[in-house]
Amino acid sequence: MINTFTLKNPGDAGTFERRFLQHVAWMRQQEGFAAHQAVRLTATAGIYVNVGWWARGEDFQQVLASATFQEHAREFHRLVDVEAAPSLSVLRGDVPGDAPSALTVERLTLPDGTGTAPGFEAAYRAYAEAAARVDGFRHIDLTKSLTQNGVYTALVAWRDEQARERGENVPEYAALASLARRHTEPAAPLAGDRAGQEAADHA
């Protein structure tokens, strides 16, 4: 699941971030929760993106229906507009190391809009493998929208800006331009709890 939060009032950033960290602390305790990564866009003020992974859709639906989640949702809707995008994980990759400080959220749209562009997922996997060989790579995720044909979201994390620049200069990344339209946003970490790693939250 990918959620995009847009502040209704830019002055509420601190309030939203504190409330969000409390919310994800509760979510991490729920049955079926696997991991998540939340980021703050740095070039577009007031927008946050959270990517969450669940063991089963049924577990997620049960949490959504709970009284606690509904209470949290009402509080969020006073602070932000929420866009929810059900998605399917296509690939994930991690390299151990220091916590990332530079992330990229990228929306990739296949030109025919049908989700059948030949070789796109294979090409992205080749990029993920190349990125993992770059010094400073931390993790990569590619998800496919379940409601919009041919739309993918990628979240890529790097140790720092220099590592991100190196990663985006590999030829495998350039090759993706011929397969999908890209909209790229730099981001900073807000909260994360990837499988097998300690949570790293930033207030």
Side-chain angles (χ1 to χ4, degrees):
M1 173 63 73
I2 301 174
N3 287 313
T4 301
F5 305 96
T6 303
L7 289 173
K8 295 180 178 181
N9 179 353
D12 286 334
T15 301
F16 169 72
E17 292 181 14
R18 287 191 297 273
R19 190 66 192 90
F20 182 80
L21 294 181
Q22 294 169 354
H23 171 69
V24 296
W26 175 80
M27 290 286 278
R28 290 169 183 161
Q29 305 303 314
Q30 305 312 302
E31 183 176 355
F33 179 88
H36 84 103
Q37 178 67 59
V39 301
R40 178 196 311 110
L41 301 191
T42 55
T44 306
I47 298 181
Y48 302 80
V49 177
N50 183 66
V51 182
W53 294 269
W54 290 80
R56 301 185 309 157
E58 295 90 335
D59 295 328
F60 180 56
Q61 292 300 322
Q62 184 172 349
V63 169
L64 289 184
S66 70
T68 299
F69 185 92
Q70 292 299 317
E71 179 184 352
H72 291 182
R74 286 191 293 271
E75 294 176 5
F76 282 142
H77 281 289
R78 288 194 287 267
L79 297 169
V80 293
D81 294 317
V82 183
E83 178 185 349
S87 302
L88 177 68
S89 180
V90 175
L91 68 84
R92 299 185 69 192
D94 297 82
V95 170
D98 298 338
S101 64
L103 297 95
T104 297
V105 179
E106 192 163 45
R107 183 183 177 95
L108 303 111
T109 304
L110 304 187
D112 58 8
T114 65
T116 59
F120 170 74
E121 291 184 13
Y124 201 92
R125 192 172 300 276
Y127 163 59
E129 293 171 355
R133 295 191 291 269
V134 174
D135 179 41
F137 170 84
R138 288 298 174 261
H139 59 79
I140 191 167
D141 299 285
L142 180 68
T143 63
K144 182 177 183 178
S145 173
L146 295 177
T147 57
Q148 295 178 283
N149 287 337
V151 175
Y152 294 78
T153 299
L155 178 63
V156 190
W158 305 92
R159 180 182 59 217
D160 49 36
E161 291 291 344
Q162 292 75 22
R164 176 163 60 188
E165 290 177 7
R166 290 193 296 270
E168 293 181 353
N169 281 326
V170 299
E172 290 85 354
Y173 183 74
L176 294 173
S178 65
L179 299 174
R181 297 189 300 274
R182 298 188 302 214
H183 176 76
T184 303
E185 290 273 5
L190 175 63
D193 184 18
R194 298 179 63 78
Q197 298 184 5
E198 292 296 322
D201 297 341
H202 305 259

